[in-house]
Amino acid sequence: MPKGGHVAVIGLGRFGGAVAESLLELGYEVLGIDSDARIVQDWSDRLIQVAEADSTDEDALRQLGVHEFERAVVGIGTNLETSVLTVLTLAEIGVPEIWAKATSVKHGKILSSVGADHVVFPESDMGERVAHLLTGRMLDYIEFDDGFAIAKVRAPRGAAGRTLADLALRTRWGVTVVGTKRPGEDFVYARPETVVPENAVLIVAGDTAKVESYADEN
């Protein structure tokens, strides 16, 4: 089994497809669902599990085992009713964490009211960022075109009370700590002598693969 776990992605258009691809790269097992047979056929060689189904049908989702997934992403944006009913159905079958794409503020409010835990308003290139966030390893993530990334991650275990020089994250992981932050406090620019406080998050930067590798292990 891939190391990441399982995520159901419903709606394999530009946004849902980008999320699915990024999750695969991160080591997650993805169940793809779409109501369009052509889209399902297109994804059949990329996903181990992909199905044509009505995502508003509780029985159909249960037959696919969606109720056993910890996370689901609803990438449906063009059909407001289907989007809302899909989120509602996922909530009713007990999926613990539901992410949903919204096309407007009003749409987003409706999605939240029927059970979406996270509502995103994506541009076409946001799928990868959302994939990183929903895995829970990163608190925020931005990737640039040249293979450089910045991420907000929780400080590693045992880091509290130690200096950044002592942690030596650049030597060990190839990432640079830009700064530290505690909830409710100001951002602190990183220096070698900076002491990592309790419950801190770190803003790290570097090569995309190294940033992802660091986040995976901490």
Side-chain angles (χ1 to χ4, degrees):
M1 182 191 301
K3 63 183 178 181
H6 301 72
V7 180
V9 177
I10 301 173
L12 295 169
R14 282 195 302 175
F15 171 73
V19 172
E21 287 187 329
S22 296
L23 286 170
L24 288 174
E25 292 174 1
L26 290 168
Y28 277 65
E29 188 169 303
V30 177
L31 165 63
I33 301 172
D34 203 286
S35 60
D36 189 323
R38 291 183 305 164
I39 292 176
V40 170
Q41 180 61 37
D42 288 343
W43 279 90
S44 62
D45 60 344
R46 285 178 279 177
L47 293 177
I48 296 175
Q49 302 178 77
V50 60
E52 178 186 354
D54 176 0
S55 57
T56 68
D57 184 334
E58 180 176 330
D59 290 337
L61 295 187
R62 286 188 180 278
Q63 287 176 7
L64 292 170
V66 176
H67 60 291
E68 298 176 352
F69 282 60
E70 293 185 357
R71 301 182 184 92
V73 180
V74 180
I76 302 166
T78 55
N79 189 317
L80 177 63
E81 181 179 3
T82 301
S83 167
V84 172
L85 289 177
T86 297
V87 169
L88 179 61
T89 304
L90 290 169
E92 288 180 339
I93 65 175
V95 176
E97 188 175 344
I98 302 169
W99 293 67
K101 169 187 174 181
T103 56
S104 68
V105 173
K106 186 174 183 179
H107 183 195
K109 288 180 178 179
I110 296 170
L111 292 172
S112 294
S113 71
V114 298
D117 301 291
H118 306 275
V119 175
V120 292
F121 301 86
E123 299 295 333
S124 61
D125 61 348
M126 283 290 286
E128 182 168 357
R129 178 173 178 268
V130 171
H132 282 82
L133 299 185
L134 74 86
T135 64
R137 295 193 294 262
M138 300 186 192
L139 304 175
D140 208 347
Y141 176 86
I142 300 173
E143 182 178 3
F144 299 90
D145 290 338
D146 58 356
F148 181 83
I150 297 175
K152 182 165 69 173
V153 298
R154 294 177 181 85
R157 297 181 190 87
R162 298 172 63 186
T163 66
L164 293 176
D166 184 34
L167 292 176
L169 298 187
R170 181 194 285 271
T171 301
R172 296 174 60 195
W173 296 97
V175 299
T176 299
V177 179
V178 179
T180 67
K181 191 178 187 308
R182 291 183 67 185
E185 296 185 7
D186 292 336
F187 175 88
V188 177
Y189 286 98
R191 296 177 177 275
E193 64 270 23
T194 299
V195 176
V196 178
E198 292 280 354
N199 302 318
V201 296
L202 306 181
I203 291 78
V204 301
D207 176 86
T208 298
K210 291 179 179 178
V211 169
E212 292 177 353
S213 178
Y214 170 74
D216 283 349
E217 299 295 331
N218 292 278

